[in-house]
């Protein structure tokens, strides 16, 4: 492995020396240039990773005929593959370096994004083919465990909360971006040149002509631009470690405690981001057989006066709130420490998840109770996203404080890899059990994290005050 490392580090992109803790020699401009370039690429990674979650809820409306369980599994697969790929990407920064890793990863996004565009243009793809595309979308999820450790090498510890919070938070905006723009892009008639249109048929609403492939194709130029910029302008920090050396993080108990905490924060954020639209449809929309009768233009709402919500109008709000919280609270973690905010996140998640549970069983007795239940559900979900975003910022401040530089990068990559299984675990959980049962498990997990954070990191005299 050492021979491979030496060979990859022989190019001109490798910096001869780099010590961000030395103010006199630290190149601030290069550090921030690296942050913004990799953040742009990371945003495209999240777009590619969550593109299926924006497309899947309406697949049946444009001509497919999948079951509810098939759609849940389809939305869950990018989380599974993203988590598995993060286990690979977490060891790449010291081996490939920032430049090669970011440029190659960004280019790889081109293929699943192109595939989703082609296969949503004509609703004839077999289920297994869409599963393969969902699997490849996980490349965008895997990138996080390489990009974040790599960026941490460029900044001093006192600034890593802000730097990593900005990168991860802005990158997370890619989730909201794809979910917000998808319903708008598919309706733009001037995009006819992108291919054949489809007729979208939603119960209770008039048929609508759409260009569903536009939701994918529009990102392809940005992916190519990100690839070129990364290759042209990025440098690599000479942090050397082969795969075996990087595995020393698993002998440190804090690796495992921080993994549990990051599952609570990013696992919740990514899991709900992927399943929010389907959950909304199945509880309060056309997926609820107790609400809609008939199909197409003849559909009737059984509860008079209740308007079935369009998930596209709301689904982007959750990731937007979570990503915004990660960006806004990151500077506060640099000032106050990460542990106190992780504690606030855990308490907030336990409370907000518990508060949302009653809204997971819609009351069909009247339009007023249905509307009240939906409002309760929406606000509860936004609170969950808020507290998960706060925790995403604070845990990434804690890790560089708890571990030395190379290990901190490895732990960031590892915890991110495990938490990336969130979309898969949420998809499986919502498939095999009632939403309320699954949410109670979330409450129990958050309460456990309150205890871990207080005892290990936040209390006076804590072993690893961070």
């Amino acid at each position: 492995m050492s021979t491979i490392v030496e060979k990859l580090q022989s190019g001109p992109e490798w910096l001869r020396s780099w010590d961000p803790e030395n103010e006199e020699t630290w190149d601030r401009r290069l550090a921030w240039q690296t942050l913004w370039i990799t953040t742009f690429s990371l945003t495209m990674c999240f777009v590619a990773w969550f593109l299926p979650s924006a497309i899947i809820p309406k697949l049946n409306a444009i001509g497919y005929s999948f079951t509810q369980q098939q759609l849940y599994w389809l939305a869950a697969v990018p989380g599974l593959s993203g988590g598995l790929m993060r286990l690979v990407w977490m060891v790449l920064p010291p081996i490939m370096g920032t430049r090669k890793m970011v440029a190659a990863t960004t280019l790889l996004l081109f293929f699943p994004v192109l595939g989703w565009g082609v296969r949503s243009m004509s609703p004839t793809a077999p289920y297994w083919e869409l599963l393969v595309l969902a699997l490849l979308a996980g490349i965008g999820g895997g990138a996080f465990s390489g990009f974040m450790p790599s960026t941490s090498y460029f900044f001093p510890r006192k600034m890593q909360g802000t730097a990593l919070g900005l990168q991860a938070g802005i990158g997370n905006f890619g989730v909201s971006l794809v979910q917000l723009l998808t319903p708008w892009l598919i309706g733009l008639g001037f995009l006819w040149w992108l291919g054949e249109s489809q007729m979208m048929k939603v119960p209770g609403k008039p048929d609508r002509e759409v260009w569903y492939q536009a939701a994918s194709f529009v990102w392809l130029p940005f992916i190519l631009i990100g690839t070129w910029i990364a290759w042209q302008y990025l440098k690599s920090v000479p942090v050397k470690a082969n795969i075996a050396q990087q595995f020393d993080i698993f002998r440190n108990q804090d690796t495992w405690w921080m993994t549990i905490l990051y599952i609570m924060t990013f696992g919740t954020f990514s899991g709900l981001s992927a399943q929010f639209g389907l959950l909304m449809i199945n509880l309060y929309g056309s997926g609820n057989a107790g609400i809609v009768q008939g199909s197409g233009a003849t559909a009737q709402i059984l509860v008079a006066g209740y308007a079935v919500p369009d998930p596209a109008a709301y689904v982007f709000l959750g990731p937007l709130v979570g990503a915004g919280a990660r960006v806004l609270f990151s500077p506060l973690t640099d000032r106050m420490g990460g542990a106190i905010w992780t504690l606030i996140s855990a308490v907030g998640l336990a409370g907000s998840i518990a508060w949302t549970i009653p809204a997971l069983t819609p009351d069909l007795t009247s339009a007023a109770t249905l509307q009240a239940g939906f409002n309760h559900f929406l606000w509860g979900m936004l609170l969950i996203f808020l507290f998960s975003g706060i925790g995403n910022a604070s845990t990434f401040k804690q890790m560089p404080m708890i571990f030395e530089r190379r290990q901190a990068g490895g732990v960031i990559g590892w915890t991110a890899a495990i938490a990336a299984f969130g979309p898969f675990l949420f998809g499986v959980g919502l498939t095999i059990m009632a939403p309320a049962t699954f949410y109670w498990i979330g409450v129990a997990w958050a309460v456990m994290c309150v205890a871990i954070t207080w005892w290990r990191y936040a209390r006076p005299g804590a072993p690893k005050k961070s």
Side-chain angles (χ1 to χ4, degrees):
M1 181 58 67
S2 60
T3 304
I4 297 175
V5 173
E6 291 172 3
K7 183 177 180 180
L8 288 172
Q9 294 180 353
S10 62
E13 83 263 21
W14 287 87
L15 300 168
R16 290 186 176 274
S17 62
W18 184 263
D19 182 10
E21 303 300 336
N22 187 338
E23 287 283 350
E24 295 182 359
T25 61
W26 179 49
D27 189 339
R28 180 183 298 266
R29 187 193 66 80
L30 177 60
W32 284 100
Q33 174 180 288
T34 301
L35 176 69
W36 297 125
I37 292 173
T38 55
T39 297
F40 176 82
S41 291
L42 185 63
T43 303
M44 292 300 100
C45 288
F46 273 91
V47 165
W49 193 23
F50 281 86
L51 179 64
S53 73
I55 292 175
I56 289 166
K58 292 293 179 68
L59 284 178
N60 286 351
I62 61 171
Y64 285 100
S65 56
F66 299 130
T67 66
Q68 186 179 113
Q69 284 72 25
Q70 283 179 310
L71 293 175
Y72 268 135
W73 277 104
L74 202 55
V77 165
L80 174 63
S81 63
L84 292 173
M85 290 184 188
R86 284 189 179 191
L87 297 174
V88 177
W89 259 260
M90 65 175 279
V91 301
L92 295 183
I95 297 173
M96 291 186 69
T98 301
R99 182 192 184 205
K100 289 187 178 77
M101 180 191 64
V102 174
T105 302
T106 309
L107 181 60
L108 286 174
L109 303 176
F110 188 89
F111 302 102
V113 172
L114 176 65
W116 275 107
V118 171
R119 285 331 234 149
S120 58
M121 188 186 313
S122 178
T124 58
Y127 186 67
W128 69 265
E129 190 171 328
L130 295 183
L131 281 174
V132 170
L133 289 175
L135 192 74
L136 292 176
I139 294 171
F144 190 86
S145 283
F147 284 34
M148 298 299 289
S150 178
T151 298
S152 73
Y153 298 156
F154 284 85
F155 287 86
R157 288 189 176 188
K158 67 180 182 180
M159 296 181 63
Q160 286 193 14
T162 298
L164 296 179
L166 285 172
Q167 180 168 59
I170 295 173
N172 289 166
F173 277 125
V175 183
S176 285
L177 199 61
V178 72
Q179 292 178 340
L180 172 64
L181 293 183
T182 292
W184 179 70
L185 288 169
I186 64 176
L188 294 179
F190 72 83
L191 295 177
W192 58 267
W193 50 273
L194 289 177
E196 300 176 358
S197 65
Q198 306 86 40
M199 195 60 66
M200 181 177 288
K201 300 180 180 181
V202 178
K205 297 183 179 180
D207 295 349
R208 176 188 174 202
E209 186 179 18
V210 295
W211 287 261
Y212 223 62
Q213 64 273 18
S216 303
F217 290 160
V218 71
W219 303 110
L220 296 178
F222 295 100
I223 290 171
L224 294 178
I225 290 170
T227 301
W228 182 82
I229 293 174
W231 185 257
Q232 191 73 17
Y233 294 105
L234 289 181
K235 299 289 185 180
S236 300
V237 174
V239 176
K240 300 182 180 181
N242 62 33
I243 293 176
Q245 290 169 334
Q246 293 184 64
F247 281 177
D248 64 356
I249 62 173
F250 300 120
R251 295 194 292 271
N252 190 325
Q253 65 169 300
D254 289 296
T255 297
W256 304 105
W257 296 128
M258 293 307 300
T259 300
I260 291 172
L261 296 181
Y262 200 57
I263 289 172
M264 174 190 70
T265 61
F266 188 76
T268 299
F269 171 83
S270 61
L272 288 182
S273 294
Q275 300 294 338
F276 193 11
L278 282 174
L279 191 60
M280 189 183 302
I281 288 176
N282 292 328
L283 291 177
Y284 287 94
S286 57
N288 191 323
I291 296 176
V292 177
Q293 175 177 278
S295 61
T298 63
Q300 299 293 319
I301 307 301
L302 295 186
V303 182
Y306 176 73
V308 174
D310 181 2
Y314 301 97
V315 71
F316 74 94
L317 290 172
L320 182 66
V321 169
R326 189 167 197 167
V327 171
L328 294 175
F329 281 84
S330 290
L332 293 178
T333 66
D334 273 335
R335 292 181 201 168
M336 301 172 62
I340 182 62
W341 287 107
T342 301
L343 187 65
I344 292 171
S345 169
V347 172
L349 280 169
S352 56
I353 294 171
W355 186 74
T356 306
I357 288 173
L360 301 178
T361 307
D363 186 345
L364 308 180
T365 56
S366 71
T369 57
L370 269 172
Q371 190 62 56
F374 175 74
N375 292 339
H376 185 170
F377 168 77
L378 180 61
W379 283 107
M381 292 291 285
L382 294 183
L383 282 173
I384 295 171
F385 275 108
L386 171 67
F387 286 110
S388 70
I390 292 173
N392 286 337
S394 61
T395 49
F396 267 41
K397 171 60 178 178
Q398 287 182 264
M399 285 181 268
M401 303 303 294
I402 295 170
F403 303 91
E404 60 93 3
R405 179 173 297 276
R406 180 188 60 76
Q407 281 198 327
V411 175
I412 287 171
W414 165 257
T415 57
I418 299 305
F421 288 110
F424 176 72
L425 295 175
F426 273 65
V428 172
L430 292 171
T431 299
I432 65 177
M433 65 184 76
T437 304
F438 186 72
Y439 272 52
W440 277 119
I441 295 174
V443 173
W445 192 279
V447 170
M448 176 180 65
C449 290
V450 170
I452 292 172
T453 304
W454 172 254
W455 182 256
R456 185 72 182 168
Y457 305 112
R459 66 182 172 89
K464 291 289 185 178
K465 194 78 172 176
S466 55

